[in-house]
Amino acid sequence: MAPARLCDAYTLKVAGVVSFYMTAALVMVFVNKAVLNHSPDLPLLFLFLQLVIAVILLHASAAVTSRVEIPKLELESAKKLFPVVSVNIIGLVFNTLCLRGVEASFFQIARGLVLPLTILVSSFNTRSTPTFRVITAAGIVTIGFLLGVTPSSSLPITATPSTLSLFYGFLSSLFIAFHAVLIKSSLPHCNNSTIHLAYWTNLGSAVLLLPFIPLHGELSVLEDLIHTSSWDGNVFLWGSLITGVFGFLLCLAGLLSIKVTSPITHMFSSAARTVIQTMLGVWLFRDILTVNRAVSIFLILLGTMYYTWVKSVESSGPPPSRRQNDVEALGNGREPASKTSDNEMTVMFDTPEKEDKP
């Protein structure tokens, strides 16, 4: 009876964490898309507000629980973390610009090269050759991406992504891949704490982004919009607040997922979230889902899940020892840096494709 109750409790815990993660990720995508549709000329200011809200929430969490500790701001640490922070904010900017220019249901396709590029960058970084099965998984994903971005005469012009938006998606995927590699080498500079790294990433990204807001002309755009009767500033402000809060919750969901779920469980939940995201995009934003796009999403998910299974099999054996000082790495011995939250403009970390490195 006792083992059965423990099993049921564990199952409920996993279901709760997965549901929490999926809900936070979906809210992030669709509220982001709604705000970007409403205020397309304020992408950097929108992203900056999300980062600031995340920093504020981390301070608030530290005030109410000892489990969250704010790191000391030291110049030496800032210098060592500059590469991962700068790559993170560049990736987030391109991610935002990509989401602004494509349909919500197409977003997964536009960033479909995250896994192949992560495998490629990691292979160069480690000077190792991926296994045949890993290359096969990357090939399946790449075919899915190419199928999805192939021009179709049946699509109206308004539903056809621009070449620039697709380029933003490629750059976003590339910097996510760089970020995946840099996270592991950056953790030792944060006392091996993912929360410390999250704080440095958000604060540093906000500081780096701030001067580009006036340079991009967004302050003057904001002033013009305020004096425009057709613009509703509440949508922008509430959208910034909601995505900032849910970006923070998405970070927590990622940390909980490290503790509770396995890589395969996480990847299947990501696949389910992608299907729901596609359906909601068609329903809420009247996105057009062609056969090509549906097959493209299927192939990207198939290749990604196959890759996750391959890495799970290849790494099967005794679990690695946990980092000595990582207070967030609880439970199953997996490395905290390798599981991150989703990539749709997440202000803490990035996509699940970074979960296991080749």
Coordinates of all heavy atoms in Angstrom, one line a residue, residues 254-346:
G254 N 11.4 25.4 -14.7 CA 12.6 24.7 -15.1 C 13.4 24.1 -14.0 O 13.8 22.9 -14.1
L255 N 13.5 24.8 -12.9 CA 14.2 24.3 -11.7 C 13.5 23.1 -11.1 O 14.0 22.1 -10.7 CB 14.5 25.3 -10.7 CG 15.4 26.5 -11.1 CD1 15.5 27.5 -10.0 CD2 16.8 26.0 -11.4
L256 N 12.1 23.2 -11.0 CA 11.3 22.1 -10.5 C 11.4 20.9 -11.5 O 11.4 19.7 -11.0 CB 9.9 22.5 -10.4 CG 9.6 23.5 -9.2 CD1 8.1 24.0 -9.3 CD2 9.8 22.8 -7.9
S257 N 11.5 21.2 -12.8 CA 11.5 20.1 -13.7 C 12.8 19.3 -13.6 O 12.9 18.1 -13.8 CB 11.4 20.7 -15.1 OG 11.1 19.6 -16.1
I258 N 13.9 20.1 -13.3 CA 15.2 19.4 -13.0 C 15.1 18.4 -11.9 O 15.6 17.3 -11.9 CB 16.3 20.5 -12.7 CG1 16.6 21.3 -13.9 CG2 17.6 19.8 -12.2 CD1 17.4 22.5 -13.5
K259 N 14.4 18.8 -10.9 CA 14.2 18.0 -9.7 C 13.3 16.8 -9.9 O 13.6 15.7 -9.4 CB 13.7 18.9 -8.5 CG 13.4 18.1 -7.2 CD 12.9 19.0 -6.2 CE 12.5 18.3 -4.9 NZ 12.0 19.2 -3.9
V260 N 12.2 17.0 -10.6 CA 11.1 16.0 -10.6 C 11.1 15.1 -11.9 O 10.9 13.9 -11.8 CB 9.8 16.7 -10.5 CG1 8.6 15.7 -10.6 CG2 9.7 17.4 -9.1
T261 N 11.3 15.7 -13.0 CA 11.1 14.9 -14.3 C 12.4 14.4 -14.9 O 13.5 14.9 -14.5 CB 10.4 15.8 -15.3 OG1 11.2 16.8 -15.8 CG2 9.1 16.4 -14.8
S262 N 12.2 13.5 -15.8 CA 13.4 13.0 -16.6 C 13.4 13.8 -17.9 O 12.5 14.5 -18.3 CB 13.1 11.5 -16.9 OG 12.0 11.4 -17.8
P263 N 14.6 13.7 -18.6 CA 14.7 14.4 -19.9 C 13.6 14.0 -20.9 O 13.1 14.9 -21.6 CB 16.1 14.0 -20.4 CG 16.8 13.7 -19.2 CD 15.9 13.1 -18.2
I264 N 13.3 12.7 -20.9 CA 12.2 12.3 -21.9 C 10.9 12.8 -21.5 O 10.1 13.2 -22.4 CB 12.2 10.8 -21.9 CG1 13.6 10.3 -22.6 CG2 11.0 10.2 -22.7 CD1 13.6 8.9 -23.1
T265 N 10.5 12.8 -20.2 CA 9.3 13.4 -19.8 C 9.2 14.9 -20.1 O 8.2 15.3 -20.7 CB 9.1 13.3 -18.2 OG1 9.2 11.9 -17.9 CG2 7.8 13.9 -17.8
H266 N 10.3 15.6 -19.9 CA 10.3 17.0 -20.3 C 10.1 17.2 -21.8 O 9.4 18.1 -22.2 CB 11.6 17.6 -19.8 CG 11.7 19.1 -20.1 ND1 11.2 20.1 -19.4 CD2 12.3 19.7 -21.2 CE1 11.4 21.3 -19.9 NE2 12.1 21.1 -21.0
M267 N 10.8 16.4 -22.6 CA 10.7 16.6 -24.0 C 9.3 16.2 -24.5 O 8.8 16.9 -25.4 CB 11.7 15.7 -24.7 CG 11.9 16.1 -26.2 SD 12.2 17.9 -26.5 CE 13.7 18.1 -25.6
F268 N 8.7 15.2 -24.0 CA 7.3 14.9 -24.4 C 6.3 16.0 -24.0 O 5.4 16.3 -24.7 CB 6.9 13.5 -23.8 CG 7.2 12.4 -24.7 CD1 8.4 11.6 -24.5 CD2 6.5 12.1 -25.8 CE1 8.7 10.6 -25.3 CE2 6.8 11.0 -26.6 CZ 7.9 10.3 -26.4
S269 N 6.6 16.6 -22.8 CA 5.7 17.7 -22.4 C 5.9 18.9 -23.4 O 5.0 19.6 -23.7 CB 6.0 18.1 -21.0 OG 7.3 18.7 -20.8
S270 N 7.2 19.1 -23.8 CA 7.4 20.2 -24.8 C 6.7 19.9 -26.1 O 6.2 20.8 -26.7 CB 8.9 20.3 -25.0 OG 9.6 20.7 -23.8
A271 N 6.7 18.6 -26.5 CA 6.0 18.3 -27.7 C 4.5 18.5 -27.6 O 3.9 19.1 -28.5 CB 6.3 16.8 -28.1
A272 N 4.0 18.1 -26.5 CA 2.5 18.4 -26.3 C 2.2 19.9 -26.3 O 1.2 20.4 -26.8 CB 2.1 17.8 -25.0
R273 N 3.1 20.7 -25.6 CA 3.0 22.1 -25.6 C 3.0 22.7 -27.0 O 2.3 23.6 -27.3 CB 4.1 22.7 -24.7 CG 4.0 24.3 -24.7 CD 5.2 24.9 -24.1 NE 6.4 24.4 -24.9 CZ 6.7 24.9 -26.1 NH1 6.0 25.8 -26.7 NH2 7.8 24.4 -26.7
T274 N 3.9 22.2 -27.8 CA 4.0 22.7 -29.2 C 2.7 22.5 -30.0 O 2.3 23.3 -30.7 CB 5.2 22.0 -29.9 OG1 6.4 22.3 -29.3 CG2 5.3 22.5 -31.4
V275 N 2.1 21.3 -29.8 CA 0.9 21.0 -30.5 C -0.2 21.9 -30.0 O -1.0 22.5 -30.8 CB 0.5 19.5 -30.3 CG1 -0.9 19.2 -30.8 CG2 1.5 18.6 -30.9
I276 N -0.3 22.1 -28.7 CA -1.3 23.0 -28.1 C -1.1 24.4 -28.6 O -2.0 25.2 -29.0 CB -1.3 23.0 -26.6 CG1 -1.7 21.6 -26.1 CG2 -2.2 24.0 -26.0 CD1 -1.5 21.4 -24.6
Q277 N 0.2 24.8 -28.7 CA 0.6 26.2 -29.1 C 0.1 26.4 -30.6 O -0.4 27.5 -30.9 CB 2.1 26.4 -29.0 CG 2.6 27.7 -29.5 CD 4.1 27.9 -29.4 OE1 4.6 27.5 -28.4 NE2 4.7 28.4 -30.4
T278 N 0.3 25.4 -31.4 CA -0.1 25.5 -32.8 C -1.6 25.6 -32.9 O -2.2 26.5 -33.6 CB 0.3 24.2 -33.6 OG1 1.8 24.1 -33.5 CG2 -0.1 24.3 -35.1
M279 N -2.3 24.8 -32.2 CA -3.8 24.8 -32.2 C -4.3 26.2 -31.7 O -5.3 26.8 -32.3 CB -4.4 23.7 -31.4 CG -4.1 22.3 -31.9 SD -4.5 21.0 -30.8 CE -6.3 21.2 -30.7
L280 N -3.7 26.7 -30.6 CA -4.2 28.0 -30.1 C -3.9 29.1 -31.0 O -4.6 30.1 -31.1 CB -3.5 28.2 -28.7 CG -4.0 27.3 -27.5 CD1 -3.2 27.6 -26.3 CD2 -5.5 27.6 -27.3
G281 N -2.7 29.0 -31.7 CA -2.4 30.0 -32.7 C -3.4 30.1 -33.8 O -3.8 31.2 -34.2
V282 N -3.8 28.9 -34.2 CA -4.8 28.9 -35.3 C -6.2 29.5 -34.8 O -6.9 30.2 -35.5 CB -5.0 27.5 -35.8 CG1 -6.2 27.4 -36.8 CG2 -3.8 27.0 -36.5
W283 N -6.5 29.2 -33.5 CA -7.8 29.6 -33.0 C -7.7 31.1 -32.6 O -8.6 31.9 -32.9 CB -8.1 28.8 -31.7 CG -9.4 29.1 -31.1 CD1 -10.6 29.4 -31.6 CD2 -9.6 29.3 -29.6 NE1 -11.5 29.8 -30.7 CE2 -10.9 29.7 -29.4 CE3 -8.7 29.2 -28.5 CZ2 -11.4 29.9 -28.2 CZ3 -9.3 29.4 -27.3 CH2 -10.6 29.8 -27.1
L284 N -6.7 31.5 -31.8 CA -6.7 32.9 -31.3 C -6.3 33.9 -32.3 O -6.8 35.0 -32.3 CB -5.7 32.9 -30.1 CG -6.1 32.1 -28.8 CD1 -5.0 32.2 -27.8 CD2 -7.5 32.6 -28.2
F285 N -5.3 33.6 -33.1 CA -4.7 34.6 -34.0 C -5.1 34.3 -35.5 O -4.6 35.0 -36.4 CB -3.2 34.7 -33.9 CG -2.7 35.2 -32.5 CD1 -2.2 34.3 -31.6 CD2 -2.8 36.5 -32.2 CE1 -1.8 34.7 -30.4 CE2 -2.4 37.0 -31.0 CZ -1.9 36.1 -30.1
R286 N -5.9 33.3 -35.7 CA -6.4 32.9 -37.0 C -5.2 32.6 -37.9 O -5.1 32.9 -39.1 CB -7.2 34.1 -37.7 CG -8.4 34.5 -36.9 CD -9.4 33.3 -36.9 NE -10.7 33.7 -36.4 CZ -11.1 33.6 -35.1 NH1 -10.2 33.1 -34.2 NH2 -12.2 34.0 -34.6
D287 N -4.1 31.9 -37.3 CA -3.0 31.5 -38.1 C -3.4 30.4 -39.1 O -4.4 29.7 -38.9 CB -1.9 30.9 -37.2 CG -1.3 31.9 -36.3 OD1 -1.6 33.1 -36.4 OD2 -0.5 31.5 -35.4
I288 N -2.7 30.4 -40.2 CA -3.0 29.4 -41.2 C -2.0 28.2 -41.1 O -0.8 28.4 -41.1 CB -2.8 30.0 -42.6 CG1 -3.8 31.2 -42.8 CG2 -3.0 29.0 -43.7 CD1 -3.7 31.9 -44.1
L289 N -2.6 27.0 -41.0 CA -1.8 25.8 -40.8 C -1.9 25.0 -42.1 O -2.9 24.3 -42.3 CB -2.3 25.0 -39.6 CG -1.5 23.7 -39.2 CD1 0.0 24.1 -38.9 CD2 -2.1 23.0 -38.1
T290 N -0.9 25.0 -42.9 CA -0.9 24.2 -44.1 C -0.4 22.8 -43.8 O 0.2 22.5 -42.8 CB 0.0 24.9 -45.2 OG1 1.4 24.9 -44.7 CG2 -0.5 26.3 -45.5
V291 N -0.5 21.9 -44.8 CA 0.0 20.6 -44.7 C 1.5 20.6 -44.5 O 2.1 19.9 -43.7 CB -0.3 19.7 -45.9 CG1 0.3 18.3 -45.8 CG2 -1.9 19.6 -46.0
N292 N 2.2 21.5 -45.3 CA 3.7 21.6 -45.1 C 4.1 22.0 -43.7 O 5.0 21.4 -43.2 CB 4.2 22.7 -46.1 CG 4.6 22.0 -47.5 OD1 4.1 21.0 -47.8 ND2 5.4 22.8 -48.2
R293 N 3.4 22.9 -43.2 CA 3.7 23.4 -41.8 C 3.4 22.3 -40.8 O 4.2 22.1 -39.8 CB 2.9 24.7 -41.5 CG 3.4 25.9 -42.3 CD 2.7 27.2 -41.8 NE 3.3 28.3 -42.5 CZ 2.9 29.6 -42.3 NH1 1.9 29.8 -41.3 NH2 3.4 30.6 -42.9
A294 N 2.3 21.6 -40.9 CA 2.0 20.5 -40.0 C 3.1 19.4 -40.0 O 3.5 18.9 -39.0 CB 0.6 20.0 -40.3
V295 N 3.5 19.0 -41.2 CA 4.5 18.0 -41.4 C 5.8 18.5 -40.9 O 6.6 17.8 -40.2 CB 4.6 17.6 -42.9 CG1 5.8 16.6 -43.0 CG2 3.3 16.9 -43.4
S296 N 6.1 19.8 -41.1 CA 7.3 20.4 -40.6 C 7.4 20.3 -39.1 O 8.4 19.9 -38.5 CB 7.4 21.9 -41.0 OG 8.5 22.5 -40.4
I297 N 6.3 20.7 -38.4 CA 6.3 20.7 -36.9 C 6.5 19.2 -36.5 O 7.2 19.0 -35.5 CB 5.0 21.3 -36.4 CG1 5.0 22.8 -36.7 CG2 4.8 21.0 -34.9 CD1 3.6 23.5 -36.4
F298 N 5.8 18.3 -37.1 CA 5.9 16.9 -36.8 C 7.3 16.4 -36.9 O 7.9 15.7 -36.0 CB 5.0 16.1 -37.7 CG 5.2 14.6 -37.5 CD1 4.7 13.9 -36.4 CD2 5.9 13.8 -38.4 CE1 4.8 12.5 -36.2 CE2 6.1 12.5 -38.3 CZ 5.5 11.8 -37.2
L299 N 8.0 16.7 -38.0 CA 9.4 16.3 -38.1 C 10.4 16.9 -37.1 O 11.3 16.3 -36.6 CB 9.9 16.6 -39.6 CG 9.3 15.8 -40.7 CD1 9.8 16.2 -42.0 CD2 9.6 14.3 -40.5
I300 N 10.2 18.2 -36.8 CA 11.0 18.9 -35.8 C 10.8 18.2 -34.5 O 11.8 17.9 -33.7 CB 10.7 20.4 -35.8 CG1 11.1 21.1 -37.0 CG2 11.3 21.0 -34.5 CD1 10.7 22.5 -37.2
L301 N 9.6 17.9 -34.1 CA 9.3 17.2 -32.8 C 9.8 15.8 -32.8 O 10.4 15.4 -31.8 CB 7.8 17.2 -32.6 CG 7.1 18.5 -32.3 CD1 5.6 18.4 -32.1 CD2 7.7 19.2 -31.0
L302 N 9.7 15.1 -34.0 CA 10.2 13.7 -34.1 C 11.7 13.7 -33.9 O 12.2 12.9 -33.1 CB 9.7 13.1 -35.4 CG 10.2 11.7 -35.7 CD1 9.6 10.7 -34.7 CD2 9.9 11.3 -37.1
G303 N 12.4 14.5 -34.6 CA 13.8 14.6 -34.5 C 14.3 14.9 -33.1 O 15.3 14.4 -32.6
T304 N 13.6 15.9 -32.5 CA 14.0 16.4 -31.1 C 13.8 15.3 -30.1 O 14.6 15.0 -29.2 CB 13.2 17.6 -30.8 OG1 13.4 18.6 -31.7 CG2 13.7 18.2 -29.4
M305 N 12.6 14.6 -30.2 CA 12.3 13.5 -29.2 C 13.3 12.3 -29.5 O 13.7 11.7 -28.5 CB 10.9 13.1 -29.4 CG 9.9 14.1 -28.8 SD 8.2 13.5 -28.7 CE 7.8 13.4 -30.5
Y306 N 13.6 12.0 -30.7 CA 14.5 11.0 -31.0 C 15.9 11.3 -30.4 O 16.6 10.4 -29.8 CB 14.6 10.7 -32.5 CG 15.7 9.7 -32.9 CD1 15.5 8.4 -32.5 CD2 16.8 10.0 -33.7 CE1 16.5 7.4 -32.9 CE2 17.7 9.1 -34.1 CZ 17.5 7.8 -33.7 OH 18.5 6.8 -34.0
Y307 N 16.3 12.5 -30.6 CA 17.6 13.0 -30.0 C 17.6 12.8 -28.5 O 18.6 12.3 -27.9 CB 17.9 14.4 -30.4 CG 19.0 15.1 -29.6 CD1 20.3 14.8 -30.0 CD2 18.8 15.9 -28.5 CE1 21.4 15.3 -29.3 CE2 19.9 16.4 -27.9 CZ 21.2 16.2 -28.3 OH 22.2 16.7 -27.6
T308 N 16.5 13.2 -27.9 CA 16.4 13.1 -26.4 C 16.5 11.6 -26.0 O 17.2 11.3 -25.0 CB 15.1 13.7 -25.9 OG1 15.0 15.0 -26.3 CG2 15.0 13.6 -24.4
W309 N 15.9 10.7 -26.7 CA 15.9 9.3 -26.4 C 17.4 8.8 -26.6 O 17.9 8.0 -25.8 CB 15.0 8.5 -27.3 CG 15.1 7.0 -27.1 CD1 14.5 6.3 -26.1 CD2 15.8 6.1 -28.0 NE1 14.8 5.0 -26.3 CE2 15.6 4.8 -27.4 CE3 16.5 6.3 -29.1 CZ2 16.2 3.7 -28.0 CZ3 17.1 5.1 -29.7 CH2 16.9 3.9 -29.1
V310 N 18.0 9.2 -27.7 CA 19.4 8.8 -28.0 C 20.3 9.2 -26.8 O 21.1 8.4 -26.3 CB 19.9 9.3 -29.3 CG1 21.4 9.2 -29.5 CG2 19.1 8.7 -30.5
K311 N 20.2 10.4 -26.4 CA 21.1 10.9 -25.4 C 20.8 10.2 -24.0 O 21.7 10.0 -23.2 CB 20.9 12.4 -25.2 CG 21.4 13.2 -26.4 CD 22.8 12.9 -26.9 CE 23.8 13.3 -25.9 NZ 25.2 13.0 -26.3
S312 N 19.5 9.9 -23.8 CA 19.1 9.2 -22.6 C 19.8 7.8 -22.6 O 20.3 7.3 -21.5 CB 17.6 9.1 -22.5 OG 17.2 8.4 -21.3
V313 N 19.7 7.1 -23.7 CA 20.3 5.8 -23.8 C 21.8 5.9 -23.7 O 22.5 5.1 -23.0 CB 19.9 5.1 -25.2 CG1 20.7 3.8 -25.4 CG2 18.4 4.8 -25.2
E314 N 22.5 6.8 -24.4 CA 23.9 6.9 -24.4 C 24.5 7.3 -23.0 O 25.6 6.9 -22.7 CB 24.4 8.0 -25.4 CG 24.2 7.6 -26.9 CD 24.6 8.6 -27.8 OE1 25.0 9.8 -27.4 OE2 24.6 8.4 -29.0
S315 N 23.7 8.0 -22.2 CA 24.2 8.5 -20.9 C 23.6 7.6 -19.8 O 23.8 8.0 -18.6 CB 23.8 9.9 -20.7 OG 22.3 10.1 -20.7
S316 N 23.0 6.5 -20.1 CA 22.4 5.6 -19.1 C 23.5 5.0 -18.3 O 24.6 4.7 -18.8 CB 21.5 4.5 -19.7 OG 22.3 3.7 -20.6
G317 N 23.3 4.8 -17.0 CA 24.3 4.3 -16.1 C 24.2 5.0 -14.8 O 23.2 5.7 -14.5
P318 N 25.2 4.9 -13.9 CA 25.1 5.6 -12.6 C 25.0 7.1 -12.8 O 25.7 7.7 -13.6 CB 26.5 5.2 -12.0 CG 27.0 4.0 -12.7 CD 26.4 4.1 -14.1
P319 N 24.1 7.7 -12.0 CA 24.0 9.2 -12.2 C 25.2 9.9 -11.7 O 25.9 9.5 -10.8 CB 22.8 9.5 -11.2 CG 22.8 8.4 -10.2 CD 23.3 7.1 -11.0
P320 N 25.5 11.0 -12.4 CA 26.7 11.8 -12.0 C 26.5 12.4 -10.7 O 25.4 12.7 -10.2 CB 26.8 12.8 -13.1 CG 25.4 13.0 -13.6 CD 24.8 11.6 -13.5
S321 N 27.6 12.6 -10.0 CA 27.6 13.3 -8.7 C 27.1 14.7 -8.8 O 27.5 15.4 -9.7 CB 28.9 13.2 -8.0 OG 29.9 13.9 -8.8
R322 N 26.3 15.2 -7.9 CA 25.8 16.5 -7.9 C 27.0 17.5 -7.6 O 27.9 17.2 -6.8 CB 24.7 16.8 -7.0 CG 23.5 15.9 -7.3 CD 22.3 16.6 -6.7 NE 22.4 16.8 -5.3 CZ 21.9 16.0 -4.4 NH1 21.3 14.9 -4.7 NH2 22.0 16.3 -3.1
R323 N 26.9 18.7 -8.2 CA 27.8 19.7 -7.8 C 27.7 20.0 -6.3 O 26.6 20.1 -5.8 CB 27.6 21.0 -8.6 CG 28.0 20.8 -10.1 CD 27.8 22.2 -10.8 NE 28.4 22.1 -12.1 CZ 27.7 21.7 -13.2 NH1 26.4 21.4 -13.0 NH2 28.3 21.7 -14.4
Q324 N 28.9 20.2 -5.7 CA 28.9 20.3 -4.3 C 28.1 21.4 -3.7 O 27.4 21.3 -2.7 CB 30.4 20.5 -3.8 CG 30.5 20.5 -2.3 CD 32.0 20.5 -1.9 OE1 32.9 20.5 -2.8 NE2 32.3 20.6 -0.7
N325 N 28.1 22.6 -4.4 CA 27.5 23.8 -3.8 C 26.2 24.2 -4.5 O 25.7 25.2 -4.2 CB 28.5 25.0 -3.9 CG 29.7 24.7 -3.1 OD1 29.6 24.1 -2.1 ND2 30.9 25.2 -3.6
D326 N 25.7 23.4 -5.4 CA 24.5 23.8 -6.1 C 23.2 23.5 -5.3 O 22.8 22.3 -5.3 CB 24.4 23.1 -7.5 CG 23.4 23.7 -8.4 OD1 22.6 24.5 -7.8 OD2 23.3 23.5 -9.6
V327 N 22.7 24.5 -4.7 CA 21.5 24.2 -3.8 C 20.2 23.9 -4.6 O 19.3 23.5 -4.0 CB 21.2 25.5 -2.9 CG1 22.4 25.7 -2.0 CG2 21.0 26.7 -3.7
E328 N 20.3 24.3 -5.9 CA 19.1 24.0 -6.7 C 19.1 22.6 -7.4 O 18.1 22.2 -7.9 CB 18.9 25.1 -7.8 CG 18.7 26.5 -7.3 CD 20.0 27.2 -7.1 OE1 21.0 26.7 -7.7 OE2 20.0 28.2 -6.4
A329 N 20.2 21.9 -7.4 CA 20.3 20.6 -8.1 C 19.8 19.6 -7.1 O 20.6 18.9 -6.4 CB 21.7 20.4 -8.5
L330 N 18.5 19.4 -7.0 CA 18.0 18.5 -6.0 C 17.4 17.2 -6.7 O 16.8 17.3 -7.7 CB 16.9 19.1 -5.2 CG 17.2 20.4 -4.5 CD1 16.0 21.1 -4.0 CD2 18.3 20.2 -3.5
G331 N 17.6 16.1 -6.2 CA 16.8 14.9 -6.6 C 17.5 13.9 -7.4 O 17.9 12.9 -7.0
N332 N 17.6 14.1 -8.8 CA 18.0 13.0 -9.6 C 19.4 13.1 -10.2 O 19.7 12.4 -11.1 CB 17.0 12.9 -10.8 CG 16.9 14.2 -11.6 OD1 17.8 15.1 -11.4 ND2 16.0 14.3 -12.5
G333 N 20.2 14.0 -9.7 CA 21.6 14.0 -10.1 C 21.9 14.6 -11.5 O 23.0 14.6 -11.9
R334 N 20.9 15.2 -12.1 CA 21.2 15.8 -13.4 C 21.8 17.2 -13.2 O 21.6 17.8 -12.2 CB 19.9 15.9 -14.2 CG 19.4 14.6 -14.7 CD 17.9 14.7 -15.0 NE 17.6 15.7 -16.0 CZ 16.4 16.3 -16.1 NH1 15.4 15.9 -15.3 NH2 16.2 17.2 -16.9
E335 N 22.6 17.6 -14.2 CA 23.2 18.9 -14.1 C 22.2 20.0 -14.2 O 21.5 20.0 -15.2 CB 24.3 19.0 -15.2 CG 25.5 18.0 -14.9 CD 26.6 18.2 -15.9 OE1 26.5 19.2 -16.7 OE2 27.5 17.5 -15.9
P336 N 22.3 20.9 -13.3 CA 21.3 22.0 -13.4 C 21.4 22.9 -14.6 O 20.4 23.5 -15.0 CB 21.5 22.8 -12.1 CG 23.0 22.5 -11.7 CD 23.2 21.1 -12.2
A337 N 22.6 23.1 -15.1 CA 22.7 24.0 -16.2 C 22.1 23.5 -17.5 O 21.8 24.2 -18.4 CB 24.2 24.3 -16.4
S338 N 22.0 22.2 -17.6 CA 21.6 21.6 -18.9 C 20.1 21.6 -19.1 O 19.7 21.3 -20.1 CB 22.2 20.2 -19.0 OG 21.7 19.4 -18.0
K339 N 19.4 21.8 -18.0 CA 17.9 21.9 -18.2 C 17.5 23.3 -18.1 O 17.7 24.0 -17.1 CB 17.2 21.0 -17.2 CG 15.7 21.3 -17.1 CD 15.0 20.8 -18.3 CE 14.7 19.4 -18.3 NZ 13.8 18.9 -17.3
T340 N 16.9 23.8 -19.1 CA 16.5 25.2 -19.0 C 15.1 25.3 -19.5 O 14.5 24.4 -20.0 CB 17.4 26.1 -19.9 OG1 17.2 25.7 -21.3 CG2 18.8 26.0 -19.5
S341 N 14.5 26.5 -19.3 CA 13.1 26.7 -19.7 C 13.0 27.0 -21.1 O 14.0 26.9 -21.9 CB 12.5 27.8 -18.9 OG 13.2 29.0 -19.0
D342 N 11.8 27.3 -21.6 CA 11.6 27.3 -23.0 C 12.1 28.5 -23.7 O 12.5 29.5 -23.1 CB 10.1 27.2 -23.2 CG 9.8 26.2 -24.3 OD1 10.7 25.6 -24.8 OD2 8.6 26.1 -24.7
N343 N 12.2 28.6 -24.8 CA 12.8 29.6 -25.6 C 12.0 30.7 -26.1 O 12.5 31.5 -26.7 CB 13.6 29.2 -26.5 CG 12.8 30.4 -25.2 OD1 12.6 31.2 -24.9 ND2 12.5 31.1 -24.2
E344 N 10.8 30.7 -25.8 CA 10.0 31.8 -26.4 C 10.2 33.1 -25.5 O 9.4 33.3 -24.6 CB 8.5 31.5 -26.5 CG 7.9 30.7 -25.4 CD 8.3 29.2 -25.5 OE1 8.2 28.7 -26.6 OE2 8.7 28.7 -24.5
M345 N 11.2 33.8 -25.8 CA 11.5 35.0 -25.1 C 11.6 34.9 -23.6 O 11.3 35.8 -22.8 CB 10.5 36.1 -25.4 CG 10.9 37.0 -26.5 SD 9.7 38.3 -26.8 CE 9.6 39.1 -25.2
T346 N 12.1 33.7 -23.1 CA 12.2 33.5 -21.7 C 13.3 34.4 -21.1 O 14.4 34.4 -21.7 CB 12.5 32.0 -21.4 OG1 11.5 31.2 -22.1 CG2 12.5 31.7 -19.9

